[in-house]
Amino acid sequence: MRRYAVFGSPIAHSLSPRIHTAFARQTGIALEYLAIEATRDTFPAILAASGVAGANITLPLKEVAFAHCRSVSARARRAGAVNTLTRTDAGWHGDNTDGAGLVRDLTERHGVDLRERRVLLLGAGGAARGVAPALLDAGIDALYVVNRNSARADALADALGDPARVHARGWDALPTLGEFDLLVNATSAGQTGTPLPPLPMALAAPRSVAVDLAYGRAAVPFTAWARAAGCAQALDGLGMLVEQAAESFQCWHGVRPDTDPVYADVRRLTDTQPVSD
């Protein structure tokens, strides 16, 4: 039985073991899937000692994992961050399934048309890097990357290599940016206990969709703001979590599981017992 795991900090309440165990049961694949605590400093040694055949990577390790890979996929290279590791004879191969997971959840589960949309991306860390390329590939019209550290926003915009559509701004520029069709919170504020900085209500319009890449309690401040601002949809990242997990599962096992029953299961769980990943 092969072993897989999700690495991050904090990680104790991760839903990834439940999701991958459900996928394995559905597809008849025998595996063990664990949640393993690791910080930036301890991650390389803990990964080496884990004996896993593959791994998912979450906060705050996605950029650390990228640097640890012997090879990476094209989408991981564009992101500069990795959320999926596969052990090979040559070393670790890195991929990033976050963007594909977000786009699939938005378009197929929630009916969001991303074409020609004006998008605000809050944050410029590993989570933001993972989803930005996929949003561009989905046909959005403009992507504004906003971060409290404007140099990190600039670095992400430069890495994306699409100056006609990608614009970097500091947090203080938010009141000047106008309305957005899609607002994506990719900051770690809710997951680390740091308050989300104030957001102008004028960023949202009646048809806007807002999504927090976190879920459970961590997503509450942003989704509450989105509802107060009048967004048509205020979503958390649970659907993205399930869809990116399915992408990882396919990378490892060559089969894509049915995500709908697994999403329904974890949605019921989070509705009655909020958790965070």
Side-chain angles (χ1 to χ4, degrees), residues 10-11 19 43 109 122 124 128 143 150 168 187 225 228 236 270 274-275:
I11 203 66
I19 291 168
F43 172 66
R109 181 167 288 116
L122 299 171
L143 179 67
S150 58
T187 71
W225 170 86
D236 69 5
T270 57
V275 293

Side-chain angles (χ1 to χ4, degrees), residues 60-78:
L61 302 175
K62 293 181 181 182
E63 291 167 278
V64 177
F66 180 87
H68 199 65
C69 291
R70 179 63 62 88
S71 63
V72 294
S73 67
R75 57 188 178 183
R77 185 176 297 107
R78 286 179 70 195

Side-chain angles (χ1 to χ4, degrees), residues 6 10 81 102 137 139 153 158 235 276:
V6 58
L102 175 63
D137 290 347
D158 290 344
L235 310 171
S276 61

Side-chain angles (χ1 to χ4, degrees), residues 72-139:
V72 294
S73 67
R75 57 188 178 183
R77 185 176 297 107
R78 286 179 70 195
V82 159
N83 81 327
T84 302
L85 292 175
T86 303
R87 186 188 293 275
T88 72
D89 292 340
W92 290 107
H93 175 74
D95 197 358
N96 198 308
T97 66
D98 281 338
L102 175 63
V103 169
R104 182 181 285 267
D105 181 55
L106 288 175
T107 59
E108 298 190 12
R109 181 167 288 116
H110 298 289
V112 178
D113 185 355
L114 294 174
R115 293 170 296 178
E116 301 298 320
R117 297 304 189 235
R118 194 167 187 260
V119 180
L120 175 65
L121 179 61
L122 299 171
R129 285 179 169 273
V131 301
L135 290 170
L136 292 169
D137 290 347

Side-chain angles (χ1 to χ4, degrees), residues 37 51-52 55 88 127 147 155 177 197 211 218 220:
E37 183 84 15
V52 296
T88 72
N147 196 60
L177 298 183
V211 57
V220 169

